[in-house]
Amino acid sequence: MDKKVIPYGRQHIDQNDIDAVVETLAADFLTQGPKVVEFENKFANYLGAKYAVAVSNATAGLHIAVMALGLKPGERVITTPITFAASANCIRYVGGEVWFADIDPETYLLSLESTRKLIESKPAGFFKGIIPVDFAGLPVNLEDFRELADKHNLWLIEDACHAPGGYFTDSKDEKQMCGNGNFADIGVFSFHPVKHIACGEGGMVTTNSEKLYNNLSKLRTHGITKENMSENHGGWYYEMQELGYNYRLTDIQSALGITQLLKNSKGVSRRNELANNYKKAFKGKIKYQSLPNGMYNAHHLFVIEIEDRKALYNYLRENNIFAQIHYIPVHTLPYYKEIGYGSADLSQAENYYSKCISLPMYPSLSDEEQEYVIDTTLSFL
Ligand SMILES: *Cc1c(COP(=O)(O)O)cnc(C)c1O
C-alpha cells in the first residue's frame, strides 16, 4: 500500500526549529546554558505564571512536584483513572498511595463530585493532595478544585501535559491559562513529540510560589544549591541539602522548545478549527467530548465514543488512519490492580473506556486529510 498513513498526532518541525538547534550545537553550552533560562522565562510569560523549571520530561516533573510538596511514604493522593500512567506513577515513586475518583461522563475530566465524595467518605487528613488532568486539552475548573482542596487542606498539582494554550474562565470572568499557578500549587507540561510542543523529550514545571520554585530547582539538580555560599567560602562552594536527581533539560532541547513555543497559539487555533470540523460532521450522530461554557480546549486529542469501538479502530487502520485509545484506565493496569488501593466507584471511567477512540488531531493535518478521516468514520457507521 502506498497510501500515506495518518497518525493520531504528530510533531511539526520547520526550518526555523532546525536552525535554532544547529545554532545551539555550535554555541558554548550544550546544557545548563542561556537557552534553558530563556525557555523557562518565555514559557512562564506565555502562561502568566511566576516561575517555570525546565525538566527532562513531564514524568520527572511530576516526580519532583510531589517531592517539593512533601509527599511521604504511605500518604494518599487522588487522581483520575483516565490519564497516562505517569500522573499516578509519580505518587508511587515516593511510596505514596494512589486513589482514584471517577470522571465526568461528558467532559471526561476528573469529577469534582466524585472527588468530594471520596474525600468526605474518609476521616480528616486521610488524603494529602489531588492531581487533576486537563484531559485531551480540556481545562479542569481549578477554581472549584481549589475550593475543595482548601476545605480539606490538600495540595493541588495540575497535570497540564495536554493543555498548553488552553484556558478556563473563572467566577470573576478572568481567563485562566492552564498551568498558570493561580489555583493549583504546581502545573506540569510535557514536550514529548506527540504533545503540542516538541523537544524530543522535555517538560516544564510551573508555580507561583517562590518556596516551591526553590525546592523544584534544587530537586532537578541533585538537591544541590549555592544559596548558603558566603564570603568565607570559595567560589566552588555548594551544598547538597537533600537527595535530588539529574532531571535537567539541555540547551539543545530548550532552543527547540523556544521556537516551538512561538508556534503554539497558532497550532492551538488550528486544532480548534479541526475540532469544529469534526463536531459539525458528527453532530447528532457521534458523541464527542463536551465543551463547557468559558473553556478553551487546547485539543491535544479529539475523542469520540462509539459502541463498536474495536471494529472502528480496525476499520480505520485498514484505511491507513491510525487512531488511538486514550486511555486504558490506570486502575485496571496490572501494576495498579495488584496493589488494589481504594477508590470511588469508577463505572463512568470504565464505560468511557469501552467506547473511546481518538481521531487524528495535529496542526499539520490538512483539510483534505481530515475530510478523508470524517468520511471514513461516517462510512463505518
Ligand atoms: C505525556 C504525559 C505525561 C508524561 O509526559 P513525559 O514527558 O512523556 O514524561 C504525563 N501526564 C500526561 C497526562 C501525559 O499525557
Side-chain angles (χ1 to χ4, degrees), residues 190-221:
S190 169
F191 306 136
H192 183 281
V194 90
K195 311 285 165 69
H196 291 61
I197 294 166
C199 289
E201 296 279 355
M204 195 70 82
V205 185
T206 56
T207 183
N208 284 346
S209 151
E210 189 182 356
K211 181 166 163 264
L212 287 174
Y213 169 69
N214 289 332
N215 283 348
L216 291 163
S217 304
K218 247 182 274 176
L219 290 165
R220 171 184 60 181
T221 304

Side-chain angles (χ1 to χ4, degrees), residues 57-59 62 83-84 86-87 133 159 161-162 190 192 195 202 327:
N57 55 67
T59 305
L62 285 160
T83 185
F84 182 57
S87 314
V133 178
D159 182 335
C161 287
H162 295 184
S190 169
H192 183 281
K195 311 285 165 69
Y327 291 93

Side-chain angles (χ1 to χ4, degrees), residues 26-264:
D28 289 338
F29 296 92
L30 296 187
T31 192
Q32 290 177 275
K35 288 293 170 191
V36 178
V37 180
E38 186 185 337
F39 186 29
E40 288 174 337
N41 290 339
K42 287 187 167 158
F43 196 84
N45 257 337
Y46 176 64
L47 306 179
K50 272 205 186 120
Y51 306 101
V53 178
V55 286
S56 46
N57 55 67
T59 305
L62 285 160
H63 184 190
I64 60 171
V66 297
M67 285 183 78
L69 287 161
L71 188 67
K72 303 270 179 321
E75 293 183 337
R76 305 172 193 90
V77 177
I78 299 172
T79 189
T80 169
I82 300 301
T83 185
F84 182 57
S87 314
N89 292 350
C90 62
I91 303 161
R92 295 295 305 136
Y93 292 156
V94 300
E97 290 189 10
V98 182
W99 287 57
F100 297 99
D102 210 356
I103 61 162
D104 177 288
E106 304 304 318
T107 63
Y108 314 150
L109 302 179
L110 180 65
S111 151
L112 183 73
E113 278 322 302
S114 176
T115 308
R116 186 196 314 280
K117 268 195 208 148
L118 180 59
I119 294 170
E120 290 177 354
S121 71
K122 300 291 172 193
F126 192 84
F127 295 105
K128 289 292 169 196
I130 314 173
I131 308 181
V133 178
D134 300 314
F135 174 73
L138 182 64
V140 168
N141 186 326
L142 287 172
E143 191 178 21
D144 293 345
F145 269 93
R146 182 79 259 173
E147 197 185 320
L148 178 66
D150 283 348
K151 193 170 157 211
H152 299 280
N153 202 20
L154 308 178
W155 49 250
L156 210 51
I157 295 174
E158 178 184 11
D159 182 335
C161 287
H162 295 184
Y167 61 80
F168 75 98
T169 314
D170 71 11
S171 59
K172 295 192 189 88
D173 219 24
E174 306 237 353
K175 194 166 123 179
Q176 300 289 347
M177 295 282 284
C178 291
N180 73 2
N182 284 347
F183 295 103
D185 298 284
I186 293 177
V188 181
F189 293 87
S190 169
F191 306 136
H192 183 281
V194 90
K195 311 285 165 69
H196 291 61
I197 294 166
C199 289
E201 296 279 355
M204 195 70 82
V205 185
T206 56
T207 183
N208 284 346
S209 151
E210 189 182 356
K211 181 166 163 264
L212 287 174
Y213 169 69
N214 289 332
N215 283 348
L216 291 163
S217 304
K218 247 182 274 176
L219 290 165
R220 171 184 60 181
T221 304
H222 310 281
I224 285 175
T225 174
K226 280 177 169 280
E227 70 190 7
N228 289 331
M229 189 168 79
S230 71
E231 292 158 19
N232 302 331
H233 296 123
W236 62 86
Y237 182 80
Y238 63 77
E239 290 176 352
M240 189 188 120
Q241 297 177 338
E242 60 188 307
L243 188 62
Y245 297 86
N246 178 355
Y247 280 167
R248 291 187 299 260
L249 192 69
T250 65
D251 264 44
I252 306 166
Q253 292 165 310
S254 299
L256 181 54
I258 292 164
T259 51
Q260 287 272 295
L261 175 62
L262 278 173
K263 295 187 254 282
N264 194 57

Side-chain angles (χ1 to χ4, degrees), residues 307-319:
E307 285 300 327
D308 202 351
R309 185 267 310 276
K310 192 171 171 199
L312 175 62
Y313 176 88
N314 290 332
Y315 181 74
L316 292 174
R317 286 216 149 209
E318 283 158 22
N319 288 285

